[in-house]
Amino acid sequence: MMAAKIKKGDNVVVLTGRDKGKAGTVAQVLPKENRVVVQGVNLVKRHTAPKPGNPGGIVEKEASLHLSNVAIADPKDGKPTRVGFTTLEDGRKVRVARRSGEQIDR
């Protein structure tokens, strides 16, 4: 299994599309489809039918983005960066930002 470069809770920047430049937190990762859902980004309107406990109507929600269209935000300056891996002295494998060398995992 390949190590995950983007995980739930990561801060990411959108690289392409109508939301280019927007940043947000990953709410959900869909590994089988190679997609992520980012809070407040790629909002779409869905027409929903009324159901018990749900009045229905037009609901705005986040749609998924392809993994290739988002990049991890560098912990130092918030700009998009690629992700590398390194092993710490205690044997843990952690993600690091290629841009600054800053550790992403805590």
Side-chain angles (χ1 to χ4, degrees):
M1 188 184 127
M2 196 176 119
K5 291 193 175 185
I6 296 181
K7 296 178 179 177
K8 183 178 176 178
D10 284 347
N11 291 316
V12 295
V13 180
V14 180
L15 302 176
T16 57
R18 69 169 189 218
D19 291 323
K20 180 177 178 175
K22 282 190 184 176
T25 306
V26 174
Q28 186 181 11
V29 180
L30 309 166
K32 285 182 182 164
E33 290 110 63
N34 284 329
R35 298 179 82 82
V36 289
V37 176
V38 182
Q39 286 177 348
V41 176
N42 197 25
L43 294 172
V44 293
K45 286 183 162 72
R46 286 283 171 258
H47 299 258
T48 58
K51 289 187 174 79
N54 177 17
I58 301 172
V59 179
E60 209 171 51
K61 58 184 253 181
E62 293 105 358
S64 65
L65 292 160
H66 196 270
L67 274 174
S68 64
N69 296 333
V70 296
I72 295 269
D74 195 318
K76 252 191 187 152
D77 57 13
K79 291 183 180 171
T81 181
R82 291 181 299 141
V83 178
F85 292 91
T86 188
T87 308
L88 301 177
E89 292 83 53
D90 61 7
R92 286 189 303 141
K93 182 177 172 184
V94 293
R95 297 176 299 160
V96 292
R98 287 276 177 91
R99 192 166 203 276
S100 63
E102 196 88 356
Q103 189 175 315
I104 296 168
D105 295 324
R106 292 284 162 223

Coordinates of all heavy atoms in Angstrom, one line a residue:
M1 N 0.8 -1.2 0.0 CA 0.0 0.0 0.0 C 0.9 1.2 0.0 O 1.8 1.3 0.7 CB -0.9 0.0 1.2 CG -1.9 1.1 1.2 SD -2.8 1.1 2.8 CE -2.6 2.8 3.2
M2 N 0.5 2.2 -0.8 CA 1.3 3.4 -0.9 C 0.9 4.4 0.2 O -0.3 4.4 0.6 CB 1.0 4.1 -2.3 CG 2.0 5.2 -2.6 SD 1.6 5.9 -4.2 CE 1.3 7.5 -3.8
A3 N 1.8 5.1 0.8 CA 1.5 6.0 1.9 C 0.7 7.1 1.4 O 0.9 7.6 0.3 CB 2.8 6.5 2.5
A4 N -0.3 7.6 2.2 CA -1.2 8.7 1.8 C -0.5 10.0 1.9 O 0.1 10.3 3.0 CB -2.4 8.6 2.7
K5 N -0.5 10.8 0.8 CA 0.1 12.1 0.9 C -0.8 13.2 1.4 O -0.4 14.2 1.9 CB 0.7 12.5 -0.5 CG 1.8 11.6 -0.9 CD 2.5 12.1 -2.1 CE 3.8 11.3 -2.4 NZ 4.6 11.8 -3.5
I6 N -2.1 13.0 1.2 CA -3.1 13.9 1.7 C -4.1 13.1 2.6 O -4.6 12.1 2.2 CB -3.9 14.6 0.5 CG1 -2.9 15.4 -0.3 CG2 -5.0 15.4 1.0 CD1 -3.5 16.2 -1.5
K7 N -4.3 13.7 3.8 CA -5.1 13.0 4.8 C -6.2 13.9 5.2 O -6.1 15.1 5.1 CB -4.3 12.6 6.0 CG -3.2 11.5 5.7 CD -2.4 11.2 6.9 CE -1.4 10.1 6.6 NZ -0.6 9.9 7.8
K8 N -7.2 13.4 5.9 CA -8.3 14.1 6.5 C -7.7 15.1 7.5 O -6.9 14.7 8.3 CB -9.3 13.2 7.1 CG -10.5 13.9 7.7 CD -11.5 12.8 8.3 CE -12.6 13.5 9.0 NZ -13.6 12.5 9.5
G9 N -8.2 16.4 7.4 CA -7.7 17.4 8.4 C -6.5 18.2 7.9 O -6.1 19.2 8.5
D10 N -5.9 17.8 6.7 CA -4.8 18.6 6.1 C -5.3 19.9 5.6 O -6.5 20.0 5.1 CB -4.2 17.8 5.0 CG -3.3 16.7 5.5 OD1 -3.0 16.6 6.7 OD2 -2.9 15.8 4.7
N11 N -4.5 20.9 5.6 CA -4.8 22.1 4.9 C -4.2 22.1 3.5 O -3.1 21.7 3.3 CB -4.1 23.3 5.7 CG -4.8 23.6 7.0 OD1 -6.0 23.5 7.1 ND2 -4.0 23.8 8.0
V12 N -5.1 22.3 2.5 CA -4.7 22.2 1.1 C -5.1 23.5 0.4 O -5.9 24.3 0.8 CB -5.4 21.0 0.4 CG1 -4.9 19.7 1.0 CG2 -6.9 21.1 0.5
V13 N -4.4 23.6 -0.8 CA -4.7 24.8 -1.7 C -5.2 24.2 -3.0 O -4.6 23.2 -3.5 CB -3.4 25.6 -1.9 CG1 -3.7 26.8 -2.8 CG2 -2.9 26.1 -0.6
V14 N -6.2 24.8 -3.6 CA -6.7 24.3 -4.9 C -5.8 24.9 -6.0 O -5.6 26.1 -6.0 CB -8.2 24.7 -5.1 CG1 -8.7 24.3 -6.4 CG2 -9.0 24.2 -4.0
L15 N -5.4 24.1 -6.9 CA -4.4 24.5 -8.0 C -5.1 24.9 -9.3 O -4.5 25.8 -10.0 CB -3.4 23.4 -8.3 CG -2.6 22.9 -7.1 CD1 -1.8 21.7 -7.5 CD2 -1.8 24.0 -6.5
T16 N -6.2 24.3 -9.6 CA -6.9 24.6 -10.9 C -8.4 24.7 -10.7 O -8.9 24.3 -9.7 CB -6.6 23.5 -11.9 OG1 -7.1 22.3 -11.4 CG2 -5.2 23.4 -12.3
G17 N -9.1 25.2 -11.7 CA -10.5 25.3 -11.7 C -11.0 26.6 -11.2 O -10.3 27.5 -11.0
R18 N -12.4 26.6 -11.0 CA -13.0 27.9 -10.7 C -12.6 28.4 -9.3 O -12.8 29.5 -8.9 CB -14.5 27.8 -10.8 CG -15.2 26.9 -9.9 CD -16.7 27.0 -9.9 NE -17.2 26.3 -8.8 CZ -18.3 25.6 -8.8 NH1 -19.0 25.6 -9.9 NH2 -18.7 24.9 -7.8
D19 N -12.2 27.4 -8.4 CA -11.8 27.8 -7.0 C -10.3 27.9 -6.9 O -9.8 27.7 -5.8 CB -12.3 26.7 -6.1 CG -13.9 26.8 -6.0 OD1 -14.4 27.9 -6.0 OD2 -14.5 25.7 -5.9
K20 N -9.5 28.1 -8.0 CA -8.1 28.1 -7.9 C -7.6 29.2 -6.9 O -8.2 30.3 -6.8 CB -7.6 28.5 -9.3 CG -6.1 28.7 -9.4 CD -5.6 29.0 -10.8 CE -4.1 29.1 -10.8 NZ -3.6 29.3 -12.2
G21 N -6.7 28.8 -6.1 CA -6.1 29.7 -5.1 C -6.8 29.6 -3.7 O -6.3 30.0 -2.7
K22 N -8.0 29.0 -3.7 CA -8.7 28.9 -2.4 C -8.0 27.8 -1.5 O -7.5 26.8 -2.1 CB -10.2 28.5 -2.6 CG -11.1 29.6 -3.1 CD -12.5 29.2 -3.0 CE -13.4 30.3 -3.6 NZ -14.8 29.9 -3.6
A23 N -8.1 28.0 -0.2 CA -7.5 27.1 0.7 C -8.6 26.5 1.6 O -9.6 27.2 1.8 CB -6.4 27.7 1.5
G24 N -8.4 25.4 2.1 CA -9.4 24.8 3.0 C -8.9 23.5 3.7 O -7.8 23.1 3.4
T25 N -9.7 23.0 4.5 CA -9.3 21.7 5.3 C -10.0 20.5 4.6 O -11.2 20.6 4.3 CB -9.8 21.8 6.7 OG1 -9.2 23.1 7.3 CG2 -9.3 20.7 7.5
V26 N -9.3 19.5 4.5 CA -9.8 18.2 3.9 C -10.8 17.6 4.8 O -10.5 17.3 6.0 CB -8.7 17.2 3.6 CG1 -9.3 15.9 3.1 CG2 -7.7 17.8 2.5
A27 N -12.1 17.5 4.4 CA -13.1 16.9 5.2 C -13.3 15.4 5.0 O -13.6 14.7 5.9 CB -14.5 17.6 4.8
Q28 N -12.9 15.0 3.8 CA -13.1 13.5 3.4 C -12.1 13.2 2.3 O -11.9 14.0 1.4 CB -14.5 13.3 3.0 CG -14.9 11.9 2.8 CD -16.3 11.7 2.3 OE1 -17.0 12.7 2.0 NE2 -16.8 10.5 2.2
V29 N -11.5 12.0 2.4 CA -10.7 11.5 1.3 C -11.3 10.3 0.8 O -11.8 9.4 1.5 CB -9.3 11.1 1.9 CG1 -8.4 10.6 0.8 CG2 -8.6 12.3 2.6
L30 N -11.4 10.2 -0.6 CA -12.0 9.1 -1.3 C -10.9 8.4 -2.1 O -10.7 8.7 -3.3 CB -13.1 9.6 -2.2 CG -14.2 10.5 -1.6 CD1 -15.0 11.2 -2.6 CD2 -15.1 9.7 -0.7
P31 N -10.1 7.5 -1.4 CA -9.0 6.9 -2.1 C -9.2 6.1 -3.3 O -8.5 6.1 -4.2 CB -8.3 6.1 -1.0 CG -9.3 5.9 0.1 CD -10.3 7.0 -0.1
K32 N -10.4 5.4 -3.4 CA -10.7 4.6 -4.5 C -10.9 5.4 -5.8 O -10.6 5.0 -6.9 CB -11.9 3.7 -4.2 CG -11.6 2.5 -3.3 CD -12.9 1.7 -3.1 CE -12.5 0.5 -2.2 NZ -13.7 -0.1 -1.6
E33 N -11.5 6.6 -5.6 CA -11.7 7.5 -6.7 C -10.6 8.5 -6.9 O -10.7 9.4 -7.8 CB -13.1 8.2 -6.5 CG -14.3 7.3 -6.6 CD -15.0 7.1 -5.3 OE1 -15.5 8.1 -4.7 OE2 -15.0 6.0 -4.8
N34 N -9.6 8.5 -6.0 CA -8.5 9.5 -6.1 C -9.1 11.0 -5.9 O -8.7 11.9 -6.7 CB -7.7 9.4 -7.3 CG -6.7 8.3 -7.3 OD1 -6.3 7.9 -6.2 ND2 -6.5 7.7 -8.4
R35 N -10.0 11.1 -5.0 CA -10.7 12.4 -4.8 C -10.7 12.9 -3.4 O -10.5 12.0 -2.5 CB -12.1 12.4 -5.4 CG -12.1 12.1 -6.9 CD -13.5 12.1 -7.5 NE -14.1 13.4 -7.8 CZ -13.8 14.1 -8.9 NH1 -13.0 13.6 -9.8 NH2 -14.3 15.2 -9.1
V36 N -10.8 14.2 -3.1 CA -10.9 14.7 -1.8 C -12.1 15.7 -1.8 O -12.4 16.3 -2.8 CB -9.7 15.4 -1.3 CG1 -8.5 14.5 -1.1 CG2 -9.2 16.5 -2.3
V37 N -12.7 15.9 -0.6 CA -13.7 16.9 -0.3 C -13.1 17.9 0.6 O -12.6 17.6 1.6 CB -15.0 16.3 0.3 CG1 -16.0 17.3 0.6 CG2 -15.6 15.2 -0.6
V38 N -13.1 19.2 0.1 CA -12.5 20.3 0.9 C -13.6 21.2 1.4 O -14.5 21.6 0.7 CB -11.5 21.0 0.0 CG1 -10.8 22.1 0.9 CG2 -10.4 20.1 -0.6
Q39 N -13.5 21.5 2.7 CA -14.5 22.4 3.3 C -14.6 23.8 2.6 O -13.5 24.4 2.5 CB -14.3 22.6 4.8 CG -14.6 21.4 5.6 CD -14.3 21.5 7.1 OE1 -13.6 22.5 7.5 NE2 -14.8 20.6 7.9
G40 N -15.7 24.2 2.2 CA -15.9 25.5 1.7 C -15.4 25.7 0.2 O -15.4 26.8 -0.3
V41 N -15.0 24.6 -0.4 CA -14.5 24.7 -1.8 C -15.3 23.8 -2.7 O -15.8 22.8 -2.3 CB -13.0 24.3 -1.8 CG1 -12.4 24.3 -3.2 CG2 -12.2 25.2 -0.9
N42 N -15.4 24.2 -4.0 CA -16.2 23.5 -5.0 C -17.6 23.3 -4.6 O -18.1 22.2 -4.6 CB -15.5 22.2 -5.3 CG -16.0 21.6 -6.6 OD1 -16.4 22.3 -7.5 ND2 -15.8 20.3 -6.7
L43 N -18.3 24.4 -4.2 CA -19.7 24.3 -3.7 C -20.6 24.1 -4.9 O -20.5 24.8 -5.9 CB -20.1 25.6 -2.9 CG -19.4 25.8 -1.6 CD1 -19.7 27.1 -1.0 CD2 -19.7 24.7 -0.6
V44 N -21.6 23.2 -4.8 CA -22.5 22.9 -5.8 C -23.9 23.0 -5.2 O -24.1 22.7 -4.0 CB -22.3 21.6 -6.5 CG1 -21.0 21.6 -7.3 CG2 -22.4 20.4 -5.6
K45 N -24.9 23.3 -6.0 CA -26.3 23.3 -5.5 C -27.0 22.0 -5.9 O -26.9 21.6 -7.0 CB -27.1 24.5 -6.1 CG -26.6 25.8 -5.5 CD -27.5 27.0 -6.1 CE -27.4 28.2 -5.2 NZ -26.2 28.9 -5.3
R46 N -27.7 21.4 -4.9 CA -28.4 20.2 -5.1 C -29.8 20.4 -4.8 O -30.2 20.9 -3.7 CB -27.8 19.0 -4.2 CG -26.5 18.5 -4.6 CD -26.6 17.6 -5.8 NE -25.4 17.2 -6.3 CZ -24.9 17.8 -7.4 NH1 -25.5 18.7 -8.1 NH2 -23.7 17.4 -7.9
H47 N -30.7 20.0 -5.7 CA -32.1 20.1 -5.4 C -32.6 18.8 -4.7 O -32.5 17.7 -5.3 CB -32.9 20.2 -6.8 CG -32.5 21.4 -7.5 ND1 -33.3 22.6 -7.5 CD2 -31.4 21.7 -8.2 CE1 -32.7 23.5 -8.3 NE2 -31.5 23.0 -8.7
T48 N -33.0 18.9 -3.5 CA -33.3 17.7 -2.7 C -34.8 17.6 -2.4 O -35.5 18.7 -2.2 CB -32.6 17.7 -1.4 OG1 -32.9 18.8 -0.6 CG2 -31.1 17.6 -1.6
A49 N -35.4 16.4 -2.5 CA -36.8 16.2 -2.2 C -37.0 16.2 -0.7 O -36.2 15.8 0.1 CB -37.2 14.9 -2.8
P50 N -38.2 16.7 -0.3 CA -38.5 16.7 1.2 C -38.6 15.3 1.7 O -39.1 14.4 1.1 CB -39.9 17.3 1.3 CG -40.1 18.0 0.0 CD -39.3 17.3 -1.0
K51 N -38.0 15.1 2.9 CA -38.0 13.8 3.6 C -38.3 14.1 5.1 O -38.1 15.2 5.5 CB -36.7 13.1 3.5 CG -36.4 12.6 2.1 CD -35.1 11.8 2.1 CE -34.8 11.1 0.8 NZ -34.3 11.9 -0.2
P52 N -38.7 13.1 5.8 CA -38.9 13.4 7.3 C -37.7 14.0 7.9 O -36.6 13.4 7.8 CB -39.3 12.0 7.8 CG -39.7 11.2 6.7 CD -39.0 11.8 5.5
G53 N -37.8 15.1 8.6 CA -36.7 15.7 9.2 C -35.9 16.6 8.3 O -34.9 17.2 8.7
N54 N -36.2 16.6 7.0 CA -35.4 17.4 6.0 C -36.5 18.1 5.1 O -37.2 17.5 4.4 CB -34.5 16.5 5.2 CG -33.8 17.3 4.1 OD1 -33.7 18.5 4.2 ND2 -33.2 16.6 3.1
P55 N -36.5 19.5 5.2 CA -37.6 20.2 4.4 C -37.4 20.1 2.9 O -38.3 20.4 2.1 CB -37.5 21.6 4.9 CG -36.1 21.7 5.4 CD -35.7 20.4 6.0
G56 N -36.2 19.8 2.5 CA -35.9 19.7 1.0 C -35.6 21.1 0.5 O -35.3 22.0 1.3
G57 N -35.6 21.3 -0.8 CA -35.3 22.5 -1.4 C -33.9 22.5 -2.0 O -33.4 21.4 -2.3
I58 N -33.3 23.7 -2.2 CA -32.0 23.8 -2.9 C -30.9 23.9 -1.8 O -30.9 24.8 -1.0 CB -31.9 25.0 -3.8 CG1 -33.0 24.8 -4.9 CG2 -30.5 25.0 -4.5 CD1 -33.1 26.1 -5.8
V59 N -30.1 22.8 -1.7 CA -29.0 22.8 -0.7 C -27.6 23.0 -1.3 O -27.4 22.4 -2.4 CB -29.1 21.4 0.0 CG1 -28.0 21.3 1.0 CG2 -30.4 21.1 0.6
E60 N -26.8 23.8 -0.7 CA -25.4 24.0 -1.2 C -24.5 23.1 -0.4 O -24.5 23.1 0.8 CB -25.0 25.4 -1.0 CG -24.1 25.9 -2.1 CD -23.8 27.4 -2.0 OE1 -23.5 27.9 -0.9 OE2 -23.9 28.0 -3.1
K61 N -23.7 22.3 -1.1 CA -22.8 21.4 -0.5 C -21.5 21.3 -1.3 O -21.4 21.7 -2.4 CB -23.4 20.0 -0.2 CG -23.8 19.3 -1.5 CD -24.5 18.0 -1.2 CE -23.6 16.8 -1.6 NZ -24.2 15.5 -1.3
E62 N -20.5 20.7 -0.6 CA -19.1 20.6 -1.2 C -19.1 19.3 -2.1 O -19.6 18.3 -1.7 CB -18.0 20.5 -0.2 CG -17.8 21.7 0.6 CD -18.3 21.6 2.0 OE1 -18.9 20.5 2.4 OE2 -18.2 22.6 2.8
A63 N -18.6 19.5 -3.3 CA -18.4 18.4 -4.2 C -16.9 18.0 -4.2 O -16.1 18.8 -3.7 CB -18.8 18.7 -5.7
S64 N -16.6 16.8 -4.6 CA -15.2 16.3 -4.5 C -14.4 16.9 -5.6 O -14.9 17.3 -6.6 CB -15.1 14.8 -4.5 OG -15.6 14.3 -5.8
L65 N -13.1 17.0 -5.3 CA -12.1 17.5 -6.3 C -11.1 16.3 -6.5 O -10.8 15.5 -5.6 CB -11.3 18.6 -5.7 CG -12.0 19.9 -5.5 CD1 -11.2 20.8 -4.5 CD2 -12.1 20.7 -6.8
H66 N -10.5 16.3 -7.7 CA -9.5 15.2 -8.0 C -8.2 15.6 -7.2 O -7.9 16.8 -7.0 CB -9.2 15.2 -9.5 CG -8.5 13.9 -9.9 ND1 -7.1 13.8 -9.9 CD2 -8.9 12.7 -10.2 CE1 -6.7 12.6 -10.2 NE2 -7.8 11.9 -10.4
L67 N -7.5 14.6 -6.7 CA -6.3 14.7 -5.9 C -5.3 15.6 -6.6 O -4.5 16.3 -6.0 CB -5.7 13.4 -5.6 CG -6.2 12.7 -4.3 CD1 -5.6 11.3 -4.2 CD2 -5.9 13.5 -3.1
S68 N -5.2 15.5 -8.0 CA -4.2 16.2 -8.7 C -4.4 17.7 -8.8 O -3.5 18.5 -9.1 CB -4.1 15.7 -10.2 OG -5.3 15.9 -10.8
N69 N -5.6 18.1 -8.4 CA -6.0 19.5 -8.4 C -5.8 20.2 -7.1 O -6.1 21.4 -7.0 CB -7.4 19.7 -8.9 CG -7.6 19.2 -10.3 OD1 -6.6 19.3 -11.1 ND2 -8.8 18.8 -10.7
V70 N -5.3 19.5 -6.1 CA -5.0 20.1 -4.8 C -3.6 19.8 -4.4 O -3.1 18.8 -4.8 CB -6.0 19.7 -3.7 CG1 -7.5 20.1 -4.0 CG2 -6.0 18.2 -3.5
A71 N -3.0 20.7 -3.6 CA -1.7 20.5 -3.0 C -1.7 20.9 -1.5 O -2.4 21.8 -1.1 CB -0.7 21.3 -3.8
I72 N -0.9 20.2 -0.8 CA -0.8 20.5 0.7 C -0.3 21.9 0.8 O 0.6 22.4 0.0 CB 0.2 19.5 1.3 CG1 -0.3 18.1 1.3 CG2 0.6 20.0 2.7 CD1 -1.1 17.7 2.5
A73 N -0.8 22.7 1.8 CA -0.3 24.0 2.0 C 0.9 23.9 2.9 O 0.9 23.2 3.9 CB -1.4 24.8 2.7
D74 N 2.0 24.6 2.6 CA 3.2 24.6 3.3 C 2.9 25.1 4.7 O 2.4 26.2 4.9 CB 4.3 25.4 2.7 CG 5.7 25.2 3.2 OD1 5.8 25.1 4.4 OD2 6.6 25.1 2.4
P75 N 3.3 24.4 5.8 CA 3.1 24.9 7.2 C 3.7 26.2 7.5 O 3.2 27.0 8.3 CB 3.7 23.8 8.1 CG 3.8 22.6 7.2 CD 4.0 23.1 5.8
K76 N 4.8 26.6 6.8 CA 5.5 27.8 7.0 C 4.8 29.0 6.4 O 4.5 30.0 7.1 CB 6.9 27.8 6.4 CG 8.0 27.7 7.5 CD 9.4 27.9 6.9 CE 10.4 27.6 8.0 NZ 11.7 27.1 7.4
D77 N 4.4 29.0 5.1 CA 3.9 30.2 4.5 C 2.5 30.0 3.8 O 2.0 30.9 3.2 CB 4.9 30.7 3.4 CG 5.3 29.7 2.4 OD1 4.6 28.7 2.3 OD2 6.3 30.0 1.7
G78 N 2.0 28.7 3.8 CA 0.7 28.5 3.3 C 0.6 28.3 1.8 O -0.5 28.2 1.2
K79 N 1.7 28.4 1.1 CA 1.8 28.2 -0.3 C 1.8 26.7 -0.7 O 2.2 25.9 0.1 CB 3.0 28.9 -0.9 CG 2.9 30.4 -0.8 CD 4.1 31.0 -1.5 CE 4.0 32.6 -1.4 NZ 5.2 33.2 -1.9
P80 N 1.3 26.3 -1.9 CA 1.3 24.9 -2.3 C 2.6 24.3 -2.3 O 3.6 24.9 -2.7 CB 0.7 24.9 -3.7 CG 0.1 26.3 -3.9 CD 0.8 27.2 -3.0
T81 N 2.7 23.0 -1.8 CA 4.0 22.3 -1.8 C 3.8 20.9 -2.1 O 2.7 20.3 -2.0 CB 4.7 22.5 -0.5 OG1 6.0 21.8 -0.5 CG2 3.9 21.9 0.6
R82 N 4.8 20.2 -2.6 CA 4.8 18.8 -2.8 C 5.1 18.1 -1.5 O 5.6 18.8 -0.6 CB 5.8 18.3 -3.9 CG 5.3 18.8 -5.3 CD 6.3 18.4 -6.4 NE 7.6 18.9 -6.1 CZ 8.7 18.2 -6.4 NH1 8.7 17.0 -6.8 NH2 9.9 18.8 -6.2
V83 N 4.8 16.8 -1.4 CA 5.0 16.1 -0.1 C 6.1 15.1 -0.2 O 6.1 14.3 -1.2 CB 3.7 15.4 0.3 CG1 3.9 14.6 1.6 CG2 2.6 16.5 0.5
G84 N 7.0 15.0 0.7 CA 8.0 14.0 0.8 C 7.9 13.2 2.1 O 7.1 13.6 2.9
F85 N 8.7 12.2 2.2 CA 8.7 11.4 3.4 C 10.1 11.3 4.0 O 11.0 11.3 3.3 CB 8.1 10.0 3.2 CG 6.7 10.0 2.8 CD1 6.3 10.1 1.5 CD2 5.7 9.9 3.8 CE1 5.0 10.1 1.1 CE2 4.4 9.9 3.5 CZ 4.0 9.9 2.1
T86 N 10.2 11.3 5.3 CA 11.4 11.1 6.0 C 11.2 10.3 7.3 O 10.1 10.2 7.8 CB 12.1 12.4 6.4 OG1 13.4 12.2 6.8 CG2 11.4 13.2 7.4
T87 N 12.2 9.6 7.7 CA 12.1 8.8 8.9 C 12.8 9.5 10.1 O 14.0 9.9 9.9 CB 12.8 7.4 8.7 OG1 12.2 6.8 7.5 CG2 12.5 6.5 9.9
L88 N 12.2 9.6 11.2 CA 12.7 10.3 12.4 C 13.6 9.3 13.1 O 13.6 8.1 12.9 CB 11.6 10.8 13.3 CG 10.6 11.8 12.7 CD1 9.5 12.1 13.7 CD2 11.3 13.1 12.2
E89 N 14.4 9.9 14.1 CA 15.3 9.0 14.9 C 14.5 7.9 15.7 O 15.0 6.8 15.9 CB 16.0 9.9 16.0 CG 17.0 10.9 15.4 CD 16.4 12.2 14.9 OE1 15.6 12.8 15.7 OE2 16.6 12.5 13.8
D90 N 13.3 8.2 16.1 CA 12.5 7.2 16.8 C 11.8 6.2 15.9 O 11.1 5.3 16.4 CB 11.5 7.9 17.7 CG 10.4 8.7 17.0 OD1 10.4 8.7 15.7 OD2 9.6 9.3 17.6
G91 N 12.1 6.3 14.6 CA 11.6 5.3 13.6 C 10.3 5.6 13.0 O 9.8 4.8 12.1
R92 N 9.7 6.7 13.4 CA 8.4 7.1 12.7 C 8.7 7.7 11.3 O 9.6 8.4 11.1 CB 7.7 8.2 13.6 CG 7.1 7.6 14.8 CD 6.2 8.7 15.5 NE 7.0 9.9 15.8 CZ 6.4 11.1 15.7 NH1 5.2 11.3 15.3 NH2 7.2 12.2 16.0
K93 N 7.8 7.3 10.4 CA 7.8 7.9 9.0 C 6.9 9.0 9.0 O 5.7 8.9 9.3 CB 7.4 6.8 8.0 CG 7.5 7.2 6.6 CD 7.1 6.0 5.7 CE 7.0 6.5 4.3 NZ 6.6 5.4 3.4
V94 N 7.4 10.2 8.7 CA 6.5 11.4 8.7 C 6.5 12.1 7.3 O 7.5 12.0 6.6 CB 6.9 12.4 9.8 CG1 6.7 11.9 11.2 CG2 8.4 12.8 9.6
R95 N 5.5 12.9 7.0 CA 5.4 13.7 5.8 C 6.1 15.0 6.0 O 6.0 15.6 7.1 CB 4.0 13.9 5.4 CG 3.2 12.7 5.1 CD 1.8 12.9 4.8 NE 1.1 13.5 5.9 CZ 0.0 14.2 5.9 NH1 -0.7 14.4 4.7 NH2 -0.6 14.7 7.0
V96 N 6.9 15.5 5.0 CA 7.5 16.7 5.1 C 7.2 17.6 3.8 O 7.0 17.0 2.8 CB 9.1 16.6 5.2 CG1 9.5 16.0 6.6 CG2 9.6 15.8 4.1
A97 N 7.2 18.9 4.0 CA 6.9 19.8 2.9 C 8.2 19.9 2.1 O 9.3 20.2 2.6 CB 6.4 21.1 3.3
R98 N 8.2 19.6 0.8 CA 9.4 19.7 -0.1 C 9.8 21.2 -0.2 O 11.0 21.5 -0.4 CB 9.1 19.2 -1.5 CG 9.0 17.7 -1.5 CD 10.3 17.1 -1.7 NE 10.3 15.6 -1.6 CZ 10.2 14.9 -2.7 NH1 10.0 15.4 -3.9 NH2 10.2 13.5 -2.6
R99 N 8.9 22.1 -0.1 CA 9.2 23.5 -0.3 C 10.1 24.1 0.8 O 11.1 24.8 0.5 CB 7.9 24.3 -0.3 CG 7.9 25.7 -0.8 CD 6.5 26.2 -1.1 NE 6.6 27.3 -2.0 CZ 6.8 28.5 -1.6 NH1 6.9 28.8 -0.3 NH2 6.8 29.5 -2.5
S100 N 9.7 23.8 2.1 CA 10.5 24.3 3.2 C 11.2 23.3 4.0 O 12.0 23.7 4.9 CB 9.5 25.1 4.1 OG 8.6 24.2 4.7
G101 N 10.9 22.0 3.8 CA 11.5 21.0 4.6 C 10.8 20.8 6.0 O 11.2 20.0 6.8
E102 N 9.7 21.6 6.2 CA 9.0 21.6 7.4 C 8.2 20.3 7.6 O 7.7 19.8 6.6 CB 8.0 22.8 7.4 CG 7.4 23.1 8.7 CD 8.2 24.1 9.5 OE1 9.3 24.5 9.1 OE2 7.8 24.5 10.6
Q103 N 8.1 19.8 8.8 CA 7.3 18.5 9.0 C 5.8 18.8 9.0 O 5.4 19.8 9.6 CB 7.8 18.0 10.4 CG 7.3 16.6 10.7 CD 7.8 16.1 12.0 OE1 9.0 16.2 12.3 NE2 7.0 15.5 12.8
I104 N 5.1 18.0 8.3 CA 3.6 18.2 8.2 C 2.9 17.4 9.3 O 2.0 17.9 10.0 CB 3.1 17.7 6.8 CG1 3.6 18.6 5.7 CG2 1.5 17.7 6.8 CD1 3.4 18.1 4.3
D105 N 3.3 16.2 9.6 CA 2.7 15.4 10.6 C 3.3 15.8 12.0 O 4.5 16.1 12.1 CB 3.1 13.9 10.4 CG 2.4 13.3 9.2 OD1 1.3 13.7 8.9 OD2 3.0 12.5 8.5
R106 N 2.5 15.8 13.0 CA 3.0 16.2 14.3 C 3.1 15.0 15.2 O 2.3 14.0 15.1 CB 2.1 17.2 15.0 CG 2.1 18.5 14.2 CD 3.4 19.3 14.6 NE 3.6 20.3 13.6 CZ 4.8 20.6 13.0 NH1 5.9 19.9 13.4 NH2 5.0 21.5 12.2

